[in-house]
Amino acid sequence: MQPVAPSGRQAELVHGDARVVVTEVGAGLREYQVGDRHVLDGYPPDAMASRGRGQLLAPWPNRIADGRYAFAGSTYQLALNEVELRNASHGLVRWSAWRLEQSTPDAVRASFVLRAQSGYPFTIAFTADYRLAGDGLTMTFTATNVGAGPAPVGLGVHPYFAVAGLGGGAEVADEVTLTVPAATRLLTDDRLIPTGTAPVDAHPVDGGPAGTTVGSFDFRRARPIGELVLDTCYTDLAHDPDGRARAVLAVPGGDALTVWMDEAWGYLQVFTADTLGPAQRRRSIAVEPLTCPANAFNSGAGLRTLAPAESFGGSWGISPAFG
């Protein structure tokens, strides 16, 4: 009997010289290449998606403190899979087998029904539609409440972008010029949980609390990341006339890529991969569209409560501009 790949069946999308691989397990992005350039810091087919690489995060993104939350008069306890920090992390769908339906060489639909279970007694149907075209990759992520009562839902995605894929000889995040069109960022505690109760502390990006450099988190105008360590959730995103907010990674003398998101995604997490092992540290940058921040099941920030039969979702995408 042949061994089964940890990420399951693979759906390959092709358009021109671009190629994307979507996995059965978690319906995540495993690979994105344009010519010989690796857009993503992905993983091989015989490996698991370490550190959330390319995974879909639902029915909540990021973390829930202590895995506990109250909803509609009841309190629930989720399993703690981020044990050291005592958090429930990145939802319940990323290790499940999704159904992949590919009708054309450049598009695939992934679908999965999350059944009611201990800690999350709600039933939600998810779809993830990926389309590869001349302007890059577009993904539409949708949640539908197929249960009998209201349900709390948040969505997120977790792509890591390879610094070397930007060209120009860059190898680490320090050499990347970043643009994030955000007016505020969330302050967090040592467990990476947003602080505050109104519903969270949002601080202007052009100022900083004690111990930080004023302006160090402000990337509304493109500037180098340098030595700055980012595991930062941005909000109050500025949208262009087409309704999209755009974050840009670029390398002087190299190329650029844009991560865009529509108005469903009110938050954007940027992570410079400083906690990865020595061989991977700061060699990729995660740019993560989120509909709500960490601990939204408790703070309510950005959280959607779906009525029975109600749907919610949004589109985001990756547009490389490689020479």
Side-chain angles (χ1 to χ4, degrees):
M1 180 178 178
Q2 288 291 104
V4 176
S7 54
R9 190 163 69 88
Q10 315 284 300
E12 183 179 77
L13 313 184
V14 177
H15 185 94
D17 65 347
R19 174 178 174 271
V20 164
V21 177
V22 176
T23 63
E24 174 187 19
V25 174
L29 282 171
R30 186 178 68 75
E31 188 173 347
Y32 185 2
Q33 277 187 262
V34 178
D36 59 357
R37 298 277 198 94
H38 289 274
V39 178
L40 296 179
D41 183 14
Y43 57 98
D46 60 352
M48 292 172 58
S50 63
R51 307 292 297 187
R53 294 177 191 277
Q55 291 185 319
L56 306 188
L57 315 179
W60 73 87
N62 217 300
R63 300 161 171 85
I64 297 176
D66 299 311
R68 290 178 64 83
Y69 67 98
F71 181 77
S74 297
T75 299
Y76 301 103
Q77 178 66 59
L78 295 156
L80 303 184
N81 57 347
E82 192 175 45
V83 177
E84 184 176 348
L85 297 181
R86 307 188 314 282
N87 296 321
S89 180
H90 287 344
L92 300 170
V93 304
R94 59 190 182 131
W95 302 115
S96 297
W98 291 51
R99 181 180 180 183
L100 299 181
E101 300 174 274
Q102 186 169 7
S103 57
T104 63
D106 56 7
V108 66
R109 164 167 282 197
S111 57
F112 178 72
V113 177
L114 176 66
R115 306 292 178 177
Q117 57 193 269
S118 177
Y120 190 80
F122 315 101
T123 304
I124 309 295
F126 295 99
T127 58
D129 289 290
Y130 292 93
R131 178 182 59 83
L132 188 60
D135 60 352
L137 178 69
T138 296
M139 187 270 215
T140 301
F141 196 6
T142 305
T144 302
N145 182 357
V146 294
V153 174
L155 305 174
V157 294
H158 206 296
Y160 284 79
F161 297 97
V163 171
L166 295 169
E171 296 183 355
V172 294
D174 309 49
E175 303 167 80
V176 173
T177 296
L178 173 66
T179 308
V180 177
T184 59
R185 65 183 178 93
L186 302 189
L187 305 184
T188 58
D189 61 19
D190 58 2
R191 296 168 61 191
L192 302 178
I193 299 297
T195 57
T197 57
V200 289
D201 286 334
H203 200 284
V205 293
D206 57 358
T212 66
T213 301
V214 173
S216 63
F217 292 91
D218 188 354
F219 288 94
R220 287 174 291 183
R221 292 186 178 182
R223 66 181 182 87
I225 293 173
E227 297 181 353
L228 183 64
V229 174
L230 291 172
D231 194 355
T232 304
C233 186
Y234 288 95
T235 188
D236 292 317
L237 302 174
H239 292 79
D240 295 328
D242 62 0
R244 295 177 174 181
R246 290 173 167 87
V248 181
L249 302 175
V251 169
D255 293 312
L257 68 82
T258 298
V259 180
W260 61 264
M261 61 224 76
D262 67 20
E263 294 180 354
W265 311 89
Y267 300 83
L268 185 70
Q269 189 85 16
V270 180
F271 174 51
T272 47
D274 293 87
T275 58
L276 274 59
Q280 298 175 321
R281 182 179 177 274
R282 295 181 72 84
R283 294 185 178 274
S284 60
I285 300 170
V287 181
E288 312 163 33
L290 312 170
T291 65
C292 60
N295 210 35
F297 276 24
N298 288 304
S299 71
L303 185 66
R304 292 296 296 257
T305 296
L306 296 184
E310 184 180 4
S311 296
F312 166 70
S315 297
W316 71 283
I318 306 167
S319 297
F322 293 171

